[in-house]
Amino acid sequence: MPLKQEHRFRSLALTAVAAAAFSVVGFVESTPAYAKTSDTQPQALTASAVAVADKYAADTAEQIFRQGGNAVDAAVAIAFTLAVTYPEAGNIGGGGFMTLYVDHRPYFLDYRERAPMSATRNMYLDDKGEVIKGMSLYGHRAVGVPGTVDGMWEAQKRFGKLKWKQVLAPAIKYAENGFVVDDQLIERRDRAAKDFAGKTNFDLYFGSMKAGQTFKQPDLADTLQRISDKGAKGFYQGKTADLIATSMTGHGLITARDLKEYKAVWRQPVVASWNGYRVITAPPPSSGGIGLVQLLKMKADLKDKFDGVPLDSAQYIHLVAEIEKRVFADRAQYLGDPDFYKVPVAQLIDDDYILKRAQEVNPETPSDTKSVQPGLGTSMPEKAETTHFSVVDKWGNAVSNTYTINGYFGSGVIAEGTGVVLNDEMDDFSAKPGVANMFGVVGSDANAIAPRKRPLSSMTPTILTKDDKVAMVIGTPGGSRIFTSIFQVLSNVYDFQMPLAEAVGATRFHHQLLPPNTIFQEPFHQLDPDVVKQLEDKGYKFSMQGFNGDIQAIRIDDTTPQPMSDPRGRGVSRVIQ
Ligand code: DON
């Protein structure tokens, strides 16, 4: 996508040189400049392409590209469409992260939810200091202030080519006229309905949804229309905001002021060199980018140990689990919202530090869990305070976007009169140090609850470039499995030279330090029983997890995009000429 404001990028180039000198953290423009762009640049790729969570989102992207939109227009239109047609995770009632590569420059947009202003550190604890089960997961008190609409508004007004109304139009159509409901959506609805029974108004909105039938969402259509007419203010102020705040009265914490003061933030993405590629990925408040870089680099540092070790062999799984132990020890200790804690990003992805951590890996047997401590020392950091889609356009721009309402259908609360499914992102905070959240991960003070703070995430929308051209756009849902899944797919593609379809479809497994020596495997592809036995003999335990990601990836070899959706989900990938 061509950009008119070249002066803007000249000053950026200097920042880029300075950042390259440190070679650990990339750069991003912090001064917003919001002029629209024009279409004068020659085509860089043979076509545009998307890998998205459902077919409606792929149709939306096709419509946007045909209207002359770029990757950012398509991404924003996809995000609004999935809020209608993929209500278990697509959203306007949640938040997320967008990693962009526009005119050969990386950007990162944080539109993660924030804790309401009246949130308190111990809000999920009883009078004995114990975590009240389910309180951060279901119902109004689980909800963080949603960021998606402001995120989409920021991205589109900065980089989009089309009119705002054009990117909202497909979503409004699906909400008004309905869409045909998929079996997988019904399965997920039924499971969620059991969790929400008697606690939320979930049934009122989604109880009537039937597989194979058209489902309309008139309240949501009206909300989207207000957003179309008024921009982000159509959500954060006026009727929508009033309805959300009213639905909270007497139940939850979010006020009209919380909504009015929400702001998405442009941040520096994490940028690292790996295997001849530049990896552009999510910084805090995500743990995912740091985790991904640590995994990729530790594996590269242990090349002599991995050489000749077949994928899915007991030795491979052991070595990866050893690396993962170290990554999750750091995650639990150091990571939180960078606006509240000074997260030592550069130190955590420093090559020498990662090498030192790699050298602690025991190639023979599982390291004792207690002995695996955070690697920068145990002191607290200095106080300073999910569906994924991948898009490339024919101009060579890319968007990698992961956004979430956390669990399927979030908190199960639909703000009355709006059709907006509200998130349960507050569960991503550490309700109490050392007590695991929904994904079994623990946290420290760095991720304690505080007003306006963003909970720590694992979402890892990632772009790889080579010679300043996009080579891969990738991401997935999956909570703490997100960056271990992306790591495995990247390793399959670039270390094992698998075609993308095979790399995405291959078995995935997961270890996260706690529970001790436990390896999670997936029903989709179970590990070979002999391999399981060998690992059990080493002291590992196995646990089955219901869900292991829904990768949406686009690989670009030379100028041809090849999109791929995970066979585990109902995603659709499409090349659009
Ligand atoms: O931000 C996070 O890490 C989680 N709230 C993401 C949740 C997720 O991926 C759910 N998908 N299964």
Side-chain angles (χ1 to χ4, degrees):
M1 177 186 65
L3 284 159
K4 280 182 188 156
Q5 312 97 331
E6 277 179 17
H7 60 279
R8 181 153 72 89
F9 292 108
R10 255 180 245 127
S11 58
L12 250 186
L14 292 174
T15 328
V17 170
F22 296 105
S23 106
V24 284
V25 181
F27 62 94
V28 75
E29 182 184 10
S30 54
T31 318
Y34 294 137
K36 294 286 176 186
T37 61
S38 69
D39 177 5
T40 54
Q41 203 152 302
Q43 200 165 318
L45 304 185
T46 54
S48 303
V50 294
V52 292
D54 76 9
K55 68 176 173 352
Y56 302 105
D59 289 347
T60 287
E62 187 159 350
Q63 179 181 328
I64 295 293
F65 284 132
R66 299 231 181 281
Q67 291 173 352
N70 61 22
V72 179
D73 293 309
V76 172
I78 290 167
F80 283 116
T81 296
L82 291 170
V84 180
T85 63
Y86 201 87
E88 69 265 47
N91 69 82
I92 56 173
F97 301 131
M98 185 183 280
T99 305
L100 305 94
Y101 196 67
V102 179
D103 277 355
H104 308 283
R105 299 194 183 282
Y107 302 86
F108 182 84
L109 180 60
D110 168 1
Y111 59 94
R112 180 80 162 157
E113 299 92 328
R114 297 193 332 187
M117 280 176 230
S118 58
T120 53
R121 189 184 174 92
N122 295 331
M123 62 186 277
Y124 299 118
L125 304 187
D126 63 17
D127 50 12
K128 296 193 186 70
E130 301 302 330
V131 174
I132 302 166
K133 215 164 162 251
M135 202 182 200
S136 61
L137 284 174
Y138 315 118
H140 296 78
R141 285 178 77 84
V143 185
V145 183
T148 297
V149 175
D150 198 49
M152 296 307 122
W153 175 246
E154 281 291 323
Q156 209 274 336
K157 73 178 168 172
R158 184 169 184 178
F159 292 123
K161 287 168 62 183
L162 300 185
K163 293 195 167 64
W164 176 247
K165 279 181 183 301
Q166 283 175 285
V167 298
L168 262 298
I172 295 172
K173 183 193 74 185
Y174 287 123
E176 230 164 47
N177 301 344
F179 68 98
V180 179
V181 174
D182 185 271
D183 291 348
Q184 190 187 52
L185 173 51
I186 292 297
E187 274 165 41
R188 290 174 177 174
R189 190 275 313 269
D190 290 348
R191 248 185 290 145
K194 281 190 196 129
D195 290 337
F196 301 143
K199 303 186 187 95
T200 76
N201 62 350
F202 182 69
D203 259 3
L204 194 66
Y205 276 83
F206 291 99
S208 66
M209 201 166 60
K210 290 198 175 59
Q213 293 192 2
T214 299
F215 181 63
K216 298 181 185 175
Q217 299 170 84
D219 284 352
L220 184 57
D222 290 348
T223 299
L224 290 165
Q225 190 61 55
R226 288 191 288 276
I227 296 168
S228 173
D229 294 342
K230 300 196 171 108
K233 285 188 181 156
F235 184 87
Y236 294 98
Q237 296 179 41
K239 185 168 179 189
T240 315
D242 287 347
L243 286 167
I244 295 174
T246 304
S247 81
M248 287 283 153
T249 310
H251 308 285
L253 303 185
I254 296 176
T255 62
R257 187 169 158 222
D258 278 311
L259 291 160
K260 190 163 180 217
E261 294 191 8
Y262 181 86
K263 272 320 285 169
V265 191
W266 292 96
R267 298 191 189 276
Q268 291 197 334
V270 162
V271 179
S273 301
W274 170 76
N275 221 348
Y277 293 86
R278 195 170 174 220
V279 180
I280 303 160
T281 186
S286 180
S287 59
I290 291 171
L292 177 64
V293 170
Q294 289 191 338
L295 290 168
L296 291 169
K297 290 203 175 204
M298 256 196 262
K299 179 165 181 266
D301 286 338
L302 294 170
K303 190 173 182 321
D304 60 323
K305 306 272 186 307
F306 275 99
D307 260 357
V309 175
L311 190 71
D312 299 340
S313 63
Q315 182 60 7
Y316 184 80
I317 293 167
H318 165 66
L319 287 172
V320 170
E322 278 288 288
I323 294 172
E324 289 172 340
K325 269 188 171 158
R326 276 126 193 119
V327 171
F328 276 92
D330 281 356
R331 183 192 190 280
Q333 184 67 23
Y334 303 118
L335 295 179
D337 182 347
D339 294 343
F340 285 71
Y341 270 95
K342 193 160 179 279
V343 181
V345 179
Q347 287 151 278
L348 289 168
I349 59 171
D350 173 71
D351 285 347
D352 291 340
Y353 170 67
I354 294 177
L355 177 63
K356 178 179 123 298
R357 293 293 266 174
Q359 285 164 344
E360 293 164 12
V361 160
N362 184 332
E364 311 298 333
T365 56
S367 303
D368 175 37
T369 301
K370 285 199 194 70
S371 75
V372 180
Q373 293 294 326
L376 297 174
T378 49
S379 64
M380 289 295 180
E382 180 190 330
K383 191 153 187 177
E385 299 240 341
T386 338
T387 186
H388 179 87
F389 50 87
S390 294
V391 186
V392 293
D393 65 30
K394 60 187 178 186
W395 298 287
N397 304 303
V399 173
S400 187
N401 188 92
T402 315
Y403 72 156
T404 183
I405 38 179
N406 201 25
Y408 285 136
F409 299 97
S411 61
V413 176
I414 291 85
E416 300 267 339
T418 68
V420 177
V421 181
L422 294 168
N423 68 82
D424 60 341
E425 223 67 59
M426 292 296 284
D427 189 64
D428 275 345
F429 279 116
S430 179
K432 182 179 173 181
V435 175
N437 75 356
M438 170 164 74
F439 297 103
V441 282
V442 294
S444 70
D445 212 35
N447 190 33
I449 305 170
R452 297 170 189 263
K453 191 175 176 183
R454 292 175 156 92
L456 182 61
S457 173
S458 298
M459 292 185 288
T460 318
T462 297
I463 296 173
L464 269 60
T465 63
K466 197 177 183 94
D467 303 329
D468 292 332
K469 288 193 238 132
V470 176
M472 176 74 85
V473 186
I474 187 166
T476 180
S480 57
R481 280 81 177 148
I482 289 175
F483 55 93
T484 61
S485 296
I486 296 173
F487 160 71
Q488 288 174 83
V489 175
L490 291 179
S491 170
N492 292 348
V493 170
Y494 296 110
D495 291 346
F496 287 95
Q497 271 78 45
M498 284 184 193
L500 186 59
E502 210 181 301
V504 170
T507 313
R508 292 199 283 268
F509 58 89
H510 175 80
H511 172 67
Q512 56 178 30
L513 188 65
L514 296 172
N517 298 330
T518 300
I519 291 176
F520 294 90
Q521 57 167 330
E522 54 173 353
F524 181 74
H525 271 315
Q526 294 195 31
L527 296 167
D528 180 334
D530 288 344
V531 167
V532 170
K533 171 84 179 55
Q534 287 168 47
L535 286 160
E536 282 171 347
D537 291 347
K538 268 187 197 290
Y540 286 105
K541 293 188 266 304
F542 280 81
S543 179
M544 191 61 73
Q545 59 190 1
F547 180 81
N548 203 12
D550 188 19
I551 292 268
Q552 305 295 338
I554 307 173
R555 180 179 185 173
I556 298 109
D557 284 329
D558 194 20
T559 56
T560 306
Q562 188 205 343
M564 188 52 57
S565 291
D566 203 317
R568 292 161 181 85
R570 62 180 195 271
V572 168
S573 55
R574 196 174 291 176
V575 173
I576 300 154
Q577 294 295 338

